[in-house]
Every structure is written in C-alpha cells, then in structure tokens.
Amino acid sequence: MKAIVQDVYGDDATAVLEQRDIGRPVPSDDQVLIRVRAAGVDPGLWHLMTGRPYLFRLIAGMRRPRQRVQGSDVAGVV
C-alpha cells in the first residue's frame, strides 16, 4: 500500500515526508482496518512533523518519530 512516511523531524515537509510503498498493517483483535479514501491535515500535525516543542518528543520519539505514518483523520471503508 502507498503511504506518506516520515523518518526524521524537520521544518520542510518536502524534505521529511516521502510517499512510499509499505506493508499492509495487520489489525489486532480490538482494531479495524480502514481502506482510506480521504485524509485530513490539521495544524497539530505540524508538531508531529517538526518535533517542536522539544518536550513533545518525550511522547512522539526523541530522535525520530515513533509513528512513521502520521494522522488519524480519515474517511474510508471498514
């Protein structure tokens, strides 16, 4: 499947975000898999992309983002 992936923190979206083919996630018993038709972007994702304020990195990952595929606002088919 195709996804926008982030491996490093940075200010320039074109430098830190990259479209790649990744493996299809396998949901656990208490999760669902969604075929995404549309995704939303909000100002909060800027903090995920830049890693600032630096205190935020305690949650998101110190040197690089723990969650490589960002975002949670989606519309699609379960």
Side-chain angles (χ1 to χ4, degrees):
M1 74 177 219
K2 293 192 182 295
I4 303 295
V5 178
Q6 177 184 4
D7 292 322
V8 296
Y9 291 117
D11 289 334
D12 186 10
T14 58
V16 300
L17 301 177
E18 178 182 354
Q19 181 177 348
R20 277 192 243 159
D21 287 324
I22 62 171
R24 186 178 189 173
V26 179
S28 64
D29 292 338
D30 61 343
Q31 296 177 330
V32 295
L33 186 62
I34 300 173
R35 179 173 296 213
V36 176
R37 300 291 187 196
V41 177
D42 63 50
L45 287 178
W46 179 83
H47 293 291
L48 292 172
M49 187 181 76
T50 62
R52 283 183 278 169
Y54 292 111
L55 188 59
F56 179 75
R57 290 186 183 198
L58 292 174
I59 299 166
M62 292 300 286
R63 296 179 188 255
R64 59 184 171 81
R66 284 189 192 119
Q67 185 78 20
R68 294 176 51 211
V69 179
Q70 306 294 349
S72 61
D73 297 335
V74 297
V77 179
V78 175

